[in-house]
Amino acid sequence: MDRLRRAADLIDQRRFLLAAVLTFEVGKTRLEALGDVEESAELIRYYCDEMERHRGFRRPMDRLHPAEETLDVLRPYGVWAVISPFNFPVALAAGPAGAALAAGNSVVLKPASSGALSAVLLADRFAEAGLPAGALQVLTGSGERVGKALVEDPRVAGITFTGSAEVGMR
């Protein structure tokens, strides 16, 4: 969690650069762009807090009988694809990526084509924070080509998608 928290701190430290990129890439106002960036850092911290609050991957559940022991045991899935939208390109990339990483998964981030630079800058903050090489990778390109390839790849264990219902159902 330390590296993820460090990434959140680095996002905060570089929020003006990231926000400026968002105004250029997707046309957000300065205030909207700052909100998007600041929310991304807060989402990463939230998922770290949740993992720590639940003591990692094991959480006792209510018992129906005193002799019973019931646990909620979370396990990493493996490679998690995060397909983020154009309207919140940093927050809806960092939040799901942070959650997947906190849970022990690796992430392939496929940003909207109009948010590719902000996704690369976001990934740079994770790398700068000490995330192991390959734990977070960015693939850019069209949703029809790159997104489809991710969705159809059997090595991808899970997908977080933000976009239209029509595409999401496919």
Side-chain angles (χ1 to χ4, degrees):
M1 295 304 129
D2 291 343
R3 291 175 186 173
L4 293 177
R5 289 186 187 284
R6 175 78 178 126
D9 292 344
L10 290 167
I11 291 166
D12 275 342
Q13 289 172 16
R14 300 201 177 62
R15 67 184 174 275
F16 296 115
L17 170 63
L18 285 163
V21 168
L22 287 180
T23 61
F24 174 74
E25 280 190 313
V26 297
K28 284 186 175 266
T29 66
R30 183 171 188 235
L31 184 59
E32 288 174 329
L34 282 169
D36 190 335
V37 172
E38 290 174 2
E39 182 181 15
S40 69
E42 289 307 312
L43 286 167
I44 294 166
R45 290 185 187 105
Y46 169 79
Y47 290 118
C48 290
D49 290 346
E50 287 299 295
M51 287 299 292
E52 290 167 350
R53 185 168 69 92
H54 292 293
R55 294 179 302 281
F57 292 105
R58 289 177 61 95
R59 189 175 92 180
M61 297 176 67
D62 290 340
R63 296 175 180 209
L64 296 175
H65 187 273
E68 172 185 63
E69 182 180 13
T70 306
L71 298 172
D72 181 12
V73 181
L74 302 173
R75 303 235 187 268
Y77 283 88
V79 177
W80 200 265
V82 174
I83 302 173
S84 60
F86 76 94
N87 56 343
F88 289 94
V90 177
L92 291 180
L101 291 164
N105 299 290
S106 59
V107 173
V108 176
L109 171 60
K110 192 274 180 232
S113 297
S114 61
L117 179 56
S118 59
V120 169
L121 293 174
L122 178 67
D124 287 348
R125 302 298 67 82
F126 281 98
E128 186 180 352
L131 199 68
L136 172 63
Q137 298 186 31
V138 178
L139 289 179
T140 60
S142 74
E144 189 167 319
R145 186 165 185 213
V146 178
K148 184 178 182 206
L150 280 173
V151 168
E152 293 175 353
D153 192 317
R155 296 171 295 178
V156 173
I159 301 167
T160 299
F161 170 78
T162 305
S164 72
E166 177 187 337
V167 173
M169 293 307 290
R170 286 194 305 230

PDB file of all heavy atoms in Angstrom, residues 80-114:
ATOM      1  N   TRP A  80      -5.816  -7.312 -14.938  1.00  0.00           N
ATOM      2  CA  TRP A  80      -7.084  -6.583 -14.931  1.00  0.00           C
ATOM      3  C   TRP A  80      -7.003  -5.484 -15.981  1.00  0.00           C
ATOM      4  O   TRP A  80      -6.072  -4.687 -15.976  1.00  0.00           O
ATOM      5  CB  TRP A  80      -7.302  -5.963 -13.550  1.00  0.00           C
ATOM      6  CG  TRP A  80      -8.723  -5.631 -13.291  1.00  0.00           C
ATOM      7  CD1 TRP A  80      -9.325  -4.429 -13.475  1.00  0.00           C
ATOM      8  CD2 TRP A  80      -9.731  -6.522 -12.829  1.00  0.00           C
ATOM      9  NE1 TRP A  80     -10.654  -4.517 -13.148  1.00  0.00           N
ATOM     10  CE2 TRP A  80     -10.923  -5.799 -12.744  1.00  0.00           C
ATOM     11  CE3 TRP A  80      -9.746  -7.869 -12.485  1.00  0.00           C
ATOM     12  CZ2 TRP A  80     -12.120  -6.367 -12.325  1.00  0.00           C
ATOM     13  CZ3 TRP A  80     -10.937  -8.432 -12.067  1.00  0.00           C
ATOM     14  CH2 TRP A  80     -12.102  -7.682 -11.988  1.00  0.00           C
ATOM     15  N   ALA A  81      -7.959  -5.447 -16.887  1.00  0.00           N
ATOM     16  CA  ALA A  81      -8.022  -4.391 -17.898  1.00  0.00           C
ATOM     17  C   ALA A  81      -8.880  -3.246 -17.369  1.00  0.00           C
ATOM     18  O   ALA A  81      -9.973  -3.478 -16.854  1.00  0.00           O
ATOM     19  CB  ALA A  81      -8.608  -4.931 -19.198  1.00  0.00           C
ATOM     20  N   VAL A  82      -8.386  -2.050 -17.478  1.00  0.00           N
ATOM     21  CA  VAL A  82      -9.135  -0.848 -17.112  1.00  0.00           C
ATOM     22  C   VAL A  82      -9.303  -0.036 -18.391  1.00  0.00           C
ATOM     23  O   VAL A  82      -8.321   0.448 -18.957  1.00  0.00           O
ATOM     24  CB  VAL A  82      -8.419  -0.024 -16.024  1.00  0.00           C
ATOM     25  CG1 VAL A  82      -9.156   1.291 -15.778  1.00  0.00           C
ATOM     26  CG2 VAL A  82      -8.286  -0.830 -14.743  1.00  0.00           C
ATOM     27  N   ILE A  83     -10.538   0.070 -18.854  1.00  0.00           N
ATOM     28  CA  ILE A  83     -10.849   0.836 -20.053  1.00  0.00           C
ATOM     29  C   ILE A  83     -11.555   2.107 -19.581  1.00  0.00           C
ATOM     30  O   ILE A  83     -12.689   2.050 -19.103  1.00  0.00           O
ATOM     31  CB  ILE A  83     -11.716   0.016 -21.030  1.00  0.00           C
ATOM     32  CG1 ILE A  83     -10.975  -1.276 -21.409  1.00  0.00           C
ATOM     33  CG2 ILE A  83     -12.069   0.845 -22.254  1.00  0.00           C
ATOM     34  CD1 ILE A  83     -11.787  -2.251 -22.243  1.00  0.00           C
ATOM     35  N   SER A  84     -10.845   3.225 -19.672  1.00  0.00           N
ATOM     36  CA  SER A  84     -11.344   4.470 -19.083  1.00  0.00           C
ATOM     37  C   SER A  84     -11.948   5.390 -20.144  1.00  0.00           C
ATOM     38  O   SER A  84     -11.584   5.319 -21.314  1.00  0.00           O
ATOM     39  CB  SER A  84     -10.219   5.174 -18.325  1.00  0.00           C
ATOM     40  OG  SER A  84      -9.157   5.490 -19.183  1.00  0.00           O
ATOM     41  N   PRO A  85     -12.847   6.287 -19.712  1.00  0.00           N
ATOM     42  CA  PRO A  85     -13.574   7.154 -20.649  1.00  0.00           C
ATOM     43  C   PRO A  85     -12.869   8.488 -20.886  1.00  0.00           C
ATOM     44  O   PRO A  85     -11.911   8.835 -20.208  1.00  0.00           O
ATOM     45  CB  PRO A  85     -14.896   7.381 -19.914  1.00  0.00           C
ATOM     46  CG  PRO A  85     -14.470   7.453 -18.482  1.00  0.00           C
ATOM     47  CD  PRO A  85     -13.369   6.422 -18.351  1.00  0.00           C
ATOM     48  N   PHE A  86     -13.419   9.243 -21.815  1.00  0.00           N
ATOM     49  CA  PHE A  86     -12.862  10.555 -22.138  1.00  0.00           C
ATOM     50  C   PHE A  86     -13.294  11.624 -21.146  1.00  0.00           C
ATOM     51  O   PHE A  86     -12.597  12.608 -20.961  1.00  0.00           O
ATOM     52  CB  PHE A  86     -13.304  10.993 -23.548  1.00  0.00           C
ATOM     53  CG  PHE A  86     -14.730  11.455 -23.598  1.00  0.00           C
ATOM     54  CD1 PHE A  86     -15.039  12.797 -23.476  1.00  0.00           C
ATOM     55  CD2 PHE A  86     -15.770  10.542 -23.733  1.00  0.00           C
ATOM     56  CE1 PHE A  86     -16.369  13.223 -23.497  1.00  0.00           C
ATOM     57  CE2 PHE A  86     -17.086  10.963 -23.753  1.00  0.00           C
ATOM     58  CZ  PHE A  86     -17.393  12.305 -23.632  1.00  0.00           C
ATOM     59  N   ASN A  87     -14.444  11.447 -20.477  1.00  0.00           N
ATOM     60  CA  ASN A  87     -14.976  12.548 -19.676  1.00  0.00           C
ATOM     61  C   ASN A  87     -14.347  12.678 -18.288  1.00  0.00           C
ATOM     62  O   ASN A  87     -14.338  13.753 -17.719  1.00  0.00           O
ATOM     63  CB  ASN A  87     -16.501  12.474 -19.581  1.00  0.00           C
ATOM     64  CG  ASN A  87     -17.000  11.165 -19.033  1.00  0.00           C
ATOM     65  OD1 ASN A  87     -16.281  10.156 -18.991  1.00  0.00           O
ATOM     66  ND2 ASN A  87     -18.246  11.136 -18.612  1.00  0.00           N
ATOM     67  N   PHE A  88     -13.830  11.600 -17.725  1.00  0.00           N
ATOM     68  CA  PHE A  88     -13.062  11.637 -16.483  1.00  0.00           C
ATOM     69  C   PHE A  88     -11.825  10.760 -16.690  1.00  0.00           C
ATOM     70  O   PHE A  88     -11.684   9.713 -16.060  1.00  0.00           O
ATOM     71  CB  PHE A  88     -13.893  11.161 -15.289  1.00  0.00           C
ATOM     72  CG  PHE A  88     -14.958  12.128 -14.891  1.00  0.00           C
ATOM     73  CD1 PHE A  88     -16.240  12.000 -15.387  1.00  0.00           C
ATOM     74  CD2 PHE A  88     -14.673  13.184 -14.043  1.00  0.00           C
ATOM     75  CE1 PHE A  88     -17.232  12.905 -15.035  1.00  0.00           C
ATOM     76  CE2 PHE A  88     -15.647  14.099 -13.687  1.00  0.00           C
ATOM     77  CZ  PHE A  88     -16.943  13.953 -14.185  1.00  0.00           C
ATOM     78  N   PRO A  89     -10.923  11.185 -17.567  1.00  0.00           N
ATOM     79  CA  PRO A  89      -9.846  10.302 -17.991  1.00  0.00           C
ATOM     80  C   PRO A  89      -8.830   9.952 -16.915  1.00  0.00           C
ATOM     81  O   PRO A  89      -8.205   8.903 -17.000  1.00  0.00           O
ATOM     82  CB  PRO A  89      -9.181  11.064 -19.137  1.00  0.00           C
ATOM     83  CG  PRO A  89      -9.605  12.465 -18.981  1.00  0.00           C
ATOM     84  CD  PRO A  89     -10.914  12.458 -18.268  1.00  0.00           C
ATOM     85  N   VAL A  90      -8.665  10.790 -15.898  1.00  0.00           N
ATOM     86  CA  VAL A  90      -7.691  10.462 -14.851  1.00  0.00           C
ATOM     87  C   VAL A  90      -8.371   9.728 -13.702  1.00  0.00           C
ATOM     88  O   VAL A  90      -7.930   8.653 -13.291  1.00  0.00           O
ATOM     89  CB  VAL A  90      -6.951  11.731 -14.367  1.00  0.00           C
ATOM     90  CG1 VAL A  90      -6.003  11.406 -13.226  1.00  0.00           C
ATOM     91  CG2 VAL A  90      -6.165  12.354 -15.512  1.00  0.00           C
ATOM     92  N   ALA A  91      -9.465  10.268 -13.185  1.00  0.00           N
ATOM     93  CA  ALA A  91     -10.125   9.645 -12.033  1.00  0.00           C
ATOM     94  C   ALA A  91     -10.642   8.244 -12.359  1.00  0.00           C
ATOM     95  O   ALA A  91     -10.495   7.321 -11.553  1.00  0.00           O
ATOM     96  CB  ALA A  91     -11.269  10.524 -11.535  1.00  0.00           C
ATOM     97  N   LEU A  92     -11.233   8.077 -13.541  1.00  0.00           N
ATOM     98  CA  LEU A  92     -11.795   6.763 -13.878  1.00  0.00           C
ATOM     99  C   LEU A  92     -10.766   5.829 -14.500  1.00  0.00           C
ATOM    100  O   LEU A  92     -11.104   4.734 -14.945  1.00  0.00           O
ATOM    101  CB  LEU A  92     -13.021   6.926 -14.766  1.00  0.00           C
ATOM    102  CG  LEU A  92     -14.215   7.548 -14.035  1.00  0.00           C
ATOM    103  CD1 LEU A  92     -15.408   7.695 -14.967  1.00  0.00           C
ATOM    104  CD2 LEU A  92     -14.600   6.748 -12.801  1.00  0.00           C
ATOM    105  N   ALA A  93      -9.520   6.257 -14.490  1.00  0.00           N
ATOM    106  CA  ALA A  93      -8.395   5.355 -14.782  1.00  0.00           C
ATOM    107  C   ALA A  93      -7.697   5.017 -13.469  1.00  0.00           C
ATOM    108  O   ALA A  93      -7.453   3.854 -13.160  1.00  0.00           O
ATOM    109  CB  ALA A  93      -7.425   6.008 -15.751  1.00  0.00           C
ATOM    110  N   ALA A  94      -7.382   6.046 -12.674  1.00  0.00           N
ATOM    111  CA  ALA A  94      -6.639   5.840 -11.424  1.00  0.00           C
ATOM    112  C   ALA A  94      -7.446   5.075 -10.390  1.00  0.00           C
ATOM    113  O   ALA A  94      -6.892   4.226  -9.690  1.00  0.00           O
ATOM    114  CB  ALA A  94      -6.212   7.188 -10.846  1.00  0.00           C
ATOM    115  N   GLY A  95      -8.740   5.359 -10.289  1.00  0.00           N
ATOM    116  CA  GLY A  95      -9.561   4.669  -9.293  1.00  0.00           C
ATOM    117  C   GLY A  95      -9.593   3.163  -9.517  1.00  0.00           C
ATOM    118  O   GLY A  95      -9.170   2.388  -8.650  1.00  0.00           O
ATOM    119  N   PRO A  96     -10.077   2.709 -10.672  1.00  0.00           N
ATOM    120  CA  PRO A  96     -10.104   1.263 -10.917  1.00  0.00           C
ATOM    121  C   PRO A  96      -8.713   0.630 -10.944  1.00  0.00           C
ATOM    122  O   PRO A  96      -8.527  -0.488 -10.460  1.00  0.00           O
ATOM    123  CB  PRO A  96     -10.778   1.134 -12.284  1.00  0.00           C
ATOM    124  CG  PRO A  96     -11.541   2.396 -12.465  1.00  0.00           C
ATOM    125  CD  PRO A  96     -10.769   3.454 -11.722  1.00  0.00           C
ATOM    126  N   ALA A  97      -7.727   1.337 -11.486  1.00  0.00           N
ATOM    127  CA  ALA A  97      -6.363   0.789 -11.503  1.00  0.00           C
ATOM    128  C   ALA A  97      -5.836   0.662 -10.077  1.00  0.00           C
ATOM    129  O   ALA A  97      -5.246  -0.364  -9.711  1.00  0.00           O
ATOM    130  CB  ALA A  97      -5.438   1.662 -12.343  1.00  0.00           C
ATOM    131  N   GLY A  98      -6.068   1.680  -9.261  1.00  0.00           N
ATOM    132  CA  GLY A  98      -5.633   1.628  -7.867  1.00  0.00           C
ATOM    133  C   GLY A  98      -6.297   0.497  -7.105  1.00  0.00           C
ATOM    134  O   GLY A  98      -5.648  -0.198  -6.318  1.00  0.00           O
ATOM    135  N   ALA A  99      -7.587   0.290  -7.341  1.00  0.00           N
ATOM    136  CA  ALA A  99      -8.306  -0.807  -6.681  1.00  0.00           C
ATOM    137  C   ALA A  99      -7.741  -2.155  -7.099  1.00  0.00           C
ATOM    138  O   ALA A  99      -7.494  -3.030  -6.256  1.00  0.00           O
ATOM    139  CB  ALA A  99      -9.795  -0.730  -7.018  1.00  0.00           C
ATOM    140  N   ALA A 100      -7.521  -2.338  -8.386  1.00  0.00           N
ATOM    141  CA  ALA A 100      -6.992  -3.612  -8.883  1.00  0.00           C
ATOM    142  C   ALA A 100      -5.587  -3.862  -8.342  1.00  0.00           C
ATOM    143  O   ALA A 100      -5.262  -4.979  -7.926  1.00  0.00           O
ATOM    144  CB  ALA A 100      -6.999  -3.623 -10.411  1.00  0.00           C
ATOM    145  N   LEU A 101      -4.758  -2.829  -8.331  1.00  0.00           N
ATOM    146  CA  LEU A 101      -3.399  -2.977  -7.819  1.00  0.00           C
ATOM    147  C   LEU A 101      -3.397  -3.254  -6.316  1.00  0.00           C
ATOM    148  O   LEU A 101      -2.637  -4.105  -5.841  1.00  0.00           O
ATOM    149  CB  LEU A 101      -2.572  -1.727  -8.139  1.00  0.00           C
ATOM    150  CG  LEU A 101      -2.253  -1.514  -9.618  1.00  0.00           C
ATOM    151  CD1 LEU A 101      -1.793  -0.082  -9.869  1.00  0.00           C
ATOM    152  CD2 LEU A 101      -1.216  -2.521 -10.103  1.00  0.00           C
ATOM    153  N   ALA A 102      -4.256  -2.569  -5.572  1.00  0.00           N
ATOM    154  CA  ALA A 102      -4.346  -2.799  -4.128  1.00  0.00           C
ATOM    155  C   ALA A 102      -4.761  -4.231  -3.821  1.00  0.00           C
ATOM    156  O   ALA A 102      -4.356  -4.800  -2.813  1.00  0.00           O
ATOM    157  CB  ALA A 102      -5.327  -1.811  -3.491  1.00  0.00           C
ATOM    158  N   ALA A 103      -5.543  -4.819  -4.711  1.00  0.00           N
ATOM    159  CA  ALA A 103      -5.996  -6.197  -4.525  1.00  0.00           C
ATOM    160  C   ALA A 103      -4.986  -7.217  -5.036  1.00  0.00           C
ATOM    161  O   ALA A 103      -5.239  -8.418  -4.992  1.00  0.00           O
ATOM    162  CB  ALA A 103      -7.342  -6.398  -5.222  1.00  0.00           C
ATOM    163  N   GLY A 104      -3.841  -6.752  -5.540  1.00  0.00           N
ATOM    164  CA  GLY A 104      -2.790  -7.664  -5.960  1.00  0.00           C
ATOM    165  C   GLY A 104      -2.776  -8.031  -7.424  1.00  0.00           C
ATOM    166  O   GLY A 104      -2.033  -8.924  -7.839  1.00  0.00           O
ATOM    167  N   ASN A 105      -3.587  -7.376  -8.221  1.00  0.00           N
ATOM    168  CA  ASN A 105      -3.624  -7.643  -9.653  1.00  0.00           C
ATOM    169  C   ASN A 105      -2.630  -6.761 -10.393  1.00  0.00           C
ATOM    170  O   ASN A 105      -2.199  -5.733  -9.885  1.00  0.00           O
ATOM    171  CB  ASN A 105      -5.031  -7.353 -10.202  1.00  0.00           C
ATOM    172  CG  ASN A 105      -6.064  -8.229  -9.550  1.00  0.00           C
ATOM    173  OD1 ASN A 105      -6.109  -9.421  -9.770  1.00  0.00           O
ATOM    174  ND2 ASN A 105      -6.913  -7.626  -8.725  1.00  0.00           N
ATOM    175  N   SER A 106      -2.297  -7.134 -11.608  1.00  0.00           N
ATOM    176  CA  SER A 106      -1.595  -6.228 -12.505  1.00  0.00           C
ATOM    177  C   SER A 106      -2.651  -5.568 -13.379  1.00  0.00           C
ATOM    178  O   SER A 106      -3.787  -6.051 -13.462  1.00  0.00           O
ATOM    179  CB  SER A 106      -0.561  -6.965 -13.347  1.00  0.00           C
ATOM    180  OG  SER A 106      -1.179  -7.960 -14.119  1.00  0.00           O
ATOM    181  N   VAL A 107      -2.307  -4.461 -14.005  1.00  0.00           N
ATOM    182  CA  VAL A 107      -3.293  -3.667 -14.746  1.00  0.00           C
ATOM    183  C   VAL A 107      -2.781  -3.320 -16.132  1.00  0.00           C
ATOM    184  O   VAL A 107      -1.630  -2.922 -16.302  1.00  0.00           O
ATOM    185  CB  VAL A 107      -3.631  -2.361 -13.985  1.00  0.00           C
ATOM    186  CG1 VAL A 107      -4.518  -1.445 -14.820  1.00  0.00           C
ATOM    187  CG2 VAL A 107      -4.287  -2.669 -12.649  1.00  0.00           C
ATOM    188  N   VAL A 108      -3.673  -3.468 -17.109  1.00  0.00           N
ATOM    189  CA  VAL A 108      -3.459  -2.920 -18.441  1.00  0.00           C
ATOM    190  C   VAL A 108      -4.497  -1.817 -18.586  1.00  0.00           C
ATOM    191  O   VAL A 108      -5.704  -2.078 -18.551  1.00  0.00           O
ATOM    192  CB  VAL A 108      -3.624  -3.978 -19.544  1.00  0.00           C
ATOM    193  CG1 VAL A 108      -3.483  -3.337 -20.921  1.00  0.00           C
ATOM    194  CG2 VAL A 108      -2.607  -5.097 -19.369  1.00  0.00           C
ATOM    195  N   LEU A 109      -4.029  -0.591 -18.702  1.00  0.00           N
ATOM    196  CA  LEU A 109      -4.901   0.574 -18.815  1.00  0.00           C
ATOM    197  C   LEU A 109      -5.038   0.957 -20.275  1.00  0.00           C
ATOM    198  O   LEU A 109      -4.045   1.219 -20.956  1.00  0.00           O
ATOM    199  CB  LEU A 109      -4.317   1.741 -18.011  1.00  0.00           C
ATOM    200  CG  LEU A 109      -4.982   3.104 -18.178  1.00  0.00           C
ATOM    201  CD1 LEU A 109      -6.448   3.063 -17.782  1.00  0.00           C
ATOM    202  CD2 LEU A 109      -4.222   4.145 -17.367  1.00  0.00           C
ATOM    203  N   LYS A 110      -6.281   0.980 -20.758  1.00  0.00           N
ATOM    204  CA  LYS A 110      -6.577   1.419 -22.117  1.00  0.00           C
ATOM    205  C   LYS A 110      -7.421   2.681 -22.006  1.00  0.00           C
ATOM    206  O   LYS A 110      -8.615   2.624 -21.760  1.00  0.00           O
ATOM    207  CB  LYS A 110      -7.331   0.316 -22.878  1.00  0.00           C
ATOM    208  CG  LYS A 110      -7.431   0.580 -24.386  1.00  0.00           C
ATOM    209  CD  LYS A 110      -8.623   1.440 -24.616  1.00  0.00           C
ATOM    210  CE  LYS A 110      -8.862   1.792 -26.048  1.00  0.00           C
ATOM    211  NZ  LYS A 110      -9.007   3.224 -26.242  1.00  0.00           N
ATOM    212  N   PRO A 111      -6.795   3.850 -22.149  1.00  0.00           N
ATOM    213  CA  PRO A 111      -7.547   5.095 -22.032  1.00  0.00           C
ATOM    214  C   PRO A 111      -8.322   5.405 -23.308  1.00  0.00           C
ATOM    215  O   PRO A 111      -8.017   4.872 -24.379  1.00  0.00           O
ATOM    216  CB  PRO A 111      -6.452   6.139 -21.808  1.00  0.00           C
ATOM    217  CG  PRO A 111      -5.282   5.582 -22.561  1.00  0.00           C
ATOM    218  CD  PRO A 111      -5.374   4.076 -22.393  1.00  0.00           C
ATOM    219  N   ALA A 112      -9.294   6.286 -23.175  1.00  0.00           N
ATOM    220  CA  ALA A 112      -9.936   6.839 -24.372  1.00  0.00           C
ATOM    221  C   ALA A 112      -8.849   7.501 -25.210  1.00  0.00           C
ATOM    222  O   ALA A 112      -7.873   8.036 -24.673  1.00  0.00           O
ATOM    223  CB  ALA A 112     -10.996   7.861 -23.970  1.00  0.00           C
ATOM    224  N   SER A 113      -9.009   7.458 -26.506  1.00  0.00           N
ATOM    225  CA  SER A 113      -7.978   8.022 -27.392  1.00  0.00           C
ATOM    226  C   SER A 113      -7.691   9.480 -27.069  1.00  0.00           C
ATOM    227  O   SER A 113      -6.551   9.930 -27.155  1.00  0.00           O
ATOM    228  CB  SER A 113      -8.406   7.878 -28.851  1.00  0.00           C
ATOM    229  OG  SER A 113      -8.507   6.511 -29.180  1.00  0.00           O
ATOM    230  N   SER A 114      -8.713  10.224 -26.660  1.00  0.00           N
ATOM    231  CA  SER A 114      -8.513  11.637 -26.356  1.00  0.00           C
ATOM    232  C   SER A 114      -7.876  11.865 -24.993  1.00  0.00           C
ATOM    233  O   SER A 114      -7.575  12.998 -24.642  1.00  0.00           O
ATOM    234  CB  SER A 114      -9.847  12.380 -26.434  1.00  0.00           C
ATOM    235  OG  SER A 114     -10.749  11.845 -25.491  1.00  0.00           O
TER     236      SER A 114
END
